[in-house]
Amino acid sequence: MKRFPWRSVLYAALLLYLITDLKFCGGPLRKAIEERRTSVQEAAEENRWVAVVNQEPLTSEQLDLAVFRHLYQRGMTDADIPEANLAMIRRAALQSLIDDTLVRQYADGDAFEAPAKEIDRFVESWESQFETDEELEERSDLQDISAEERRAELARIWTRKRWLEQRVSPGVDVTDAEVREWFEANRTDGDTFSREGFVEPEKIRARHIFLSTVEVDDDTREEMIRDLHRQLVEKESTFEELAEAFSEDPRTKKRGGDLNWFARDRMPEDFAEAAFSLEPGELGEPFRTSLGWHIVEVLDRQPERPVEFEEVENEIRRHLQNRRTADTVKILLEKLRKASNVRLFPEHF
């Protein structure tokens, strides 16, 4: 004898009750939901919330600060941005705020904490971008954040990053075969590494002696550079000695004027044209550029050549990993949003 399906009947009855309450009768459950929505709306109006994420409000002040920091990092203020563009930036900043809040909420729900040593290294690395402690504090003051708040925010950023990495890392592994396949598919018309066709351009290694003509009499500079050239030709002094004694390029004078290897596009056009006209071992005549006078000696030359796979293998792997990580993070955030209750209040954006 079959048992009566009480569980199925109860589930059906409960489902029928919910449908009737929510859709047709306006019962206590629907009234409770409507009251909750009304109270949230009233609180949003009173406190100028821009969103509520799983019952956690995000305020217009938080959005203002996020936009300020976004623009400040780019050397701008809201006064520099057209109103229509500023509205787009505010919407994008809000989406980032929502994503950060979701990640933090779920990381906290997992009781996840990044190791303290990792946080210390991240904070130290971030702060090292400033030359002095005074510059760091000045930047923090401009963003209205104390040292304690700065460290806490950096700790949250690193913790969120590590929480995300743990969840996306299995999906971002790149195989050797995928790296090779990408190389073969892209090397003929490459548009990713600023090396068209994956070709290493012609390079020379050269050294120079430089005399600036900025705020200096040009005739005096020309007379001096030609005398230095004469000393080199007649072997009265070595290139290294004259570069260290007279060159006004502080980056190279202590190493005998050595510019190391460079391609044409790495130097000003007027300098590159003269330098690349010389052969290895050739000392050029003094010439003038927009910056001043130069004596150049070419030491060696490398012709244009195809880039070998081994030279860019690691770069391609990082590119594929970064792209796959971004895609995986996007999918994860979409899942978090679908599983969450996010309510926006556009009137306060």
Side-chain angles (χ1 to χ4, degrees):
M1 181 178 178
K2 293 184 178 180
R3 298 179 60 184
F4 189 77
W6 290 105
R7 180 173 298 179
S8 298
V9 172
L10 287 173
Y11 285 162
L14 178 59
L15 180 60
L16 180 61
Y17 169 75
L18 291 174
I19 293 173
T20 303
D21 185 297
L22 295 173
K23 294 291 185 181
F24 302 110
C25 298
L29 184 58
R30 181 173 178 177
K31 289 180 179 178
I33 293 174
E34 290 177 346
E35 288 175 0
R36 170 64 184 167
R37 289 182 63 85
T38 300
S39 65
V40 170
Q41 182 67 47
E42 291 174 351
E45 290 294 335
E46 181 179 352
N47 299 288
R48 292 188 57 78
W49 294 348
V50 291
V52 173
V53 182
N54 292 328
Q55 301 186 25
E56 178 180 340
L58 300 178
T59 67
S60 57
E61 288 80 6
Q62 288 175 278
L63 179 57
D64 291 341
L65 182 58
V67 172
F68 171 80
R69 290 176 178 172
H70 173 85
L71 295 176
Y72 183 82
Q73 290 171 356
R74 291 156 179 78
M76 297 184 292
T77 68
D78 55 4
D80 303 318
I81 308 297
E83 187 173 345
N85 292 358
L86 185 60
M88 294 174 58
I89 291 173
R90 290 183 68 82
R91 286 194 291 270
L94 176 59
Q95 296 306 315
S96 295
L97 270 179
I98 292 172
D99 288 341
D100 289 345
T101 302
L102 286 170
V103 171
R104 175 176 51 76
Q105 289 175 345
Y106 279 90
D108 291 346
D110 289 345
F112 177 81
E113 292 185 12
K117 289 184 178 180
E118 289 187 7
I119 292 175
D120 290 341
R121 286 197 296 269
F122 176 67
V123 172
E124 182 179 355
S125 174
W126 188 89
E127 292 180 345
S128 68
Q129 66 182 301
F130 302 96
E131 294 185 0
T132 64
D133 292 340
E134 290 75 16
E135 183 183 350
L136 171 61
E137 296 307 321
E138 180 182 355
R139 181 69 62 88
S140 295
D141 290 342
L142 286 171
Q143 298 192 46
D144 193 25
I145 184 172
S146 68
E148 294 76 14
E149 291 171 331
R150 181 180 68 238
R151 179 177 176 82
E153 178 61 21
L154 290 172
R156 286 192 291 269
I157 290 172
W158 183 255
T159 295
R160 291 194 293 265
K161 179 178 182 295
R162 296 292 289 121
W163 183 85
L164 278 172
E165 286 178 347
Q166 287 193 359
R167 276 146 189 80
V168 304
S169 58
V172 300
D173 290 337
V174 176
T175 66
D176 293 343
E178 288 174 320
V179 177
R180 171 65 76 170
E181 180 182 357
W182 195 95
F183 175 77
E184 297 296 340
N186 288 273
R187 64 176 176 170
T188 56
D189 59 354
D191 57 358
T192 302
F193 299 109
S194 300
R195 295 174 175 175
E196 186 174 357
F198 281 70
V199 171
E200 189 73 10
E202 178 189 24
K203 291 182 178 180
I204 61 173
R205 183 170 186 176
R207 54 187 179 181
H208 80 147
I209 297 172
F210 168 66
L211 297 181
S212 173
T213 56
V214 178
E215 300 181 356
V216 180
D217 179 63
D218 190 32
D219 292 338
T220 302
R221 301 271 92 176
E222 181 178 2
E223 182 180 347
M224 183 176 178
I225 201 77
R226 293 197 181 280
D227 183 61
L228 294 175
H229 183 263
R230 180 193 61 77
Q231 293 182 51
L232 291 172
V233 171
E234 297 179 2
K235 302 187 185 306
E236 292 182 7
S237 300
T238 67
F239 204 104
E240 292 86 347
E241 291 171 343
L242 294 182
E244 184 171 358
F246 298 101
S247 182
E248 295 175 351
D249 180 359
R251 298 170 301 172
T252 64
K253 65 179 300 176
K254 293 298 184 182
R255 57 175 189 261
D258 190 358
L259 291 163
N260 214 325
W261 291 96
F262 58 89
R264 287 179 182 269
D265 61 2
R266 296 297 301 274
M267 292 293 181
E269 184 177 352
D270 50 2
F271 180 89
E273 182 178 357
F276 274 82
S277 68
L278 302 174
E279 296 298 325
E282 183 178 357
L283 177 69
E285 292 288 328
F287 64 93
R288 195 185 189 289
T289 67
S290 59
L291 299 177
W293 284 92
H294 306 260
I295 301 172
V296 172
E297 182 180 14
V298 172
L299 304 174
D300 204 351
R301 182 184 295 266
Q302 291 179 350
E304 178 181 282
R305 63 176 179 81
V307 173
E308 301 297 332
F309 172 71
E310 290 74 19
E311 296 179 76
V312 292
E313 179 180 2
N314 291 334
E315 190 176 355
I316 294 172
R317 190 181 303 277
R318 286 193 297 271
H319 167 71
L320 294 177
Q321 287 174 338
N322 290 339
R323 188 173 67 182
R324 194 166 294 176
T325 296
D327 292 341
T328 306
V329 168
K330 181 179 179 180
I331 292 171
L332 175 60
L333 290 173
E334 288 175 354
K335 289 181 178 179
L336 294 183
R337 281 178 176 256
K338 289 179 180 179
S340 303
N341 184 5
V342 179
R343 185 175 177 186
L344 305 179
F345 301 97
E347 63 271 22
H348 299 150
F349 290 5

